[in-house]
Amino acid sequence: MSQNAIIKNEAAGTIDSQEYKDAVQVFYKRHLCRLDPWPAEVIESFDYMERDTTVYLTMNGPSEFHVIGSLKNWSIIDEAHKINVPTFLLNGAYDEAADSSVMPFFKFIPKVKWFTFAESSHMPHWEEREKYMKLVADFLGD
């Protein structure tokens, strides 16, 4: 099981193993980008992060599951009420940014709209591109 491989490799410090990378990909293909194959630009972004892991490792850690970086205990939720410009929150029904993660921002940002894409994970700009572009254009036109 992918989860067991992730836990085992993180405990052993073998996050650079192929087993670990393959297990992380199972999660990514469900909750990050559900398209098959992934768009070339998404692959290129991941390839670049693989070549230079400085920012991702510093801010996050080795994966979405083992957050040890500067974002581990960081939150802006207590400051969200200070956002005084129209804000558009987007997530997908299969997103790693679940509704429970988005809800505090919806609750505290004064001028906010929220839309959840029914057929997307974390990348509705790829997974439901036409709907995404229309919604963003409509929001910017308001």
Side-chain angles (χ1 to χ4, degrees), residues 14-29:
T14 54
I15 59 168
D16 57 347
S17 73
Q18 193 59 48
E19 178 186 42
Y20 185 80
K21 291 176 184 178
D22 290 347
V24 169
Q25 281 301 312
V26 170
F27 174 84
Y28 285 167
K29 289 179 180 186

Side-chain angles (χ1 to χ4, degrees), residues 14-52:
T14 54
I15 59 168
D16 57 347
S17 73
Q18 193 59 48
E19 178 186 42
Y20 185 80
K21 291 176 184 178
D22 290 347
V24 169
Q25 281 301 312
V26 170
F27 174 84
Y28 285 167
K29 289 179 180 186
R30 290 181 189 153
H31 303 290
L32 192 70
C33 185
R34 295 168 54 88
L35 297 177
D36 186 18
W38 279 3
E41 294 85 351
V42 174
I43 293 169
E44 184 179 347
S45 295
F46 273 85
D47 287 348
Y48 188 83
M49 287 190 329
E50 181 90 14
R51 287 192 305 275
D52 185 353

